[in-house]
Amino acid sequence: MSHFIQNTLAGLKQLLNNNDQMKSVAEEGEVYTVSCSFNPPIKTSEIETFESEHDIKLPEDYKAFLKLHNGARIYESVDDDGVNIGGGLHLFSLDDIKETQEVEYISEHGIPIAHLLEDCYLILDIEKLMSTDPNYLNILEFTDIKILNLNFEIFLDRYIISQGVPFWSWPIYTAENYYRTRENK
């Protein structure tokens, strides 16, 4: 299987200005400024050490990401002065993963690889990884698990294409209930 993570990230980086920022469009035409930052790569030997310490084999597409960037922050909102005001996707470095795994309610669901939105985590489902199920990525929202039926690179590609909007919730919004849910905001 060839991985397209490098192409996805290269496409995103082409859209960024010299301050690693860009304009983004969200639901109902809201335009805002976002920033993206990328950590340096990690060596294959460091990934192998992590896998050995945790007795797990990380998915190949996720390892491809780590070899490009050992963590990143994508679509974080910034105000008019360029100050980060939050949001976006925080893809963890291997050190961040180790730290986050110390939180029991998170680690009992798998390996946390990212934080997004408010109190949501991207989780590698260990059982699916061990059974070689390619749909190993879940979202832990507070204490509820949402099964995404995706792998890492497809999630990242769709997240970037959707400009950081939670695309995984789109199927639940219909013409009948969309406006009703907007009234509650």
Side-chain angles (χ1 to χ4, degrees), residues 5 9 37-42 47 50 54 58 61-74 76 87-103 105-107 110-124 137-140 152 155-156 159:
I5 285 185
L9 293 174
S37 59
F38 304 91
N39 295 354
I42 197 165
I47 296 170
F50 178 89
H54 293 85
L58 294 172
D61 58 338
Y62 183 63
K63 289 195 283 191
F65 166 76
L66 292 171
K67 291 174 188 176
L68 293 170
H69 301 289
N70 183 24
R73 293 177 178 269
I74 299 175
E76 290 186 314
L89 173 65
H90 175 196
L91 294 166
F92 295 154
S93 67
L94 287 182
D95 286 340
D96 292 334
I97 291 172
K98 290 175 189 176
E99 185 177 315
T100 307
Q101 279 187 297
E102 293 176 12
V103 180
Y105 87 92
I106 297 171
S107 62
I111 300 172
I113 62 167
H115 182 259
L116 67 158
L117 306 172
E118 293 182 29
D119 295 322
C120 293
Y121 291 88
L122 278 184
I123 304 287
L124 300 177
L137 199 60
N138 297 329
I139 289 183
L140 174 63
F152 175 74
F155 173 87
L156 185 61
Y159 188 81

Side-chain angles (χ1 to χ4, degrees), residues 28-82:
E28 300 178 6
E30 181 183 351
V31 176
Y32 55 102
T33 303
V34 296
S35 69
C36 299
S37 59
F38 304 91
N39 295 354
I42 197 165
K43 296 177 183 166
T44 301
S45 61
E46 293 175 85
I47 296 170
E48 291 168 349
T49 299
F50 178 89
E51 289 177 319
S52 175
E53 288 173 353
H54 293 85
D55 195 28
I56 189 73
K57 179 116 173 91
L58 294 172
E60 293 301 319
D61 58 338
Y62 183 63
K63 289 195 283 191
F65 166 76
L66 292 171
K67 291 174 188 176
L68 293 170
H69 301 289
N70 183 24
R73 293 177 178 269
I74 299 175
Y75 290 134
E76 290 186 314
S77 296
V78 294
D79 66 14
D80 292 337
D81 296 321

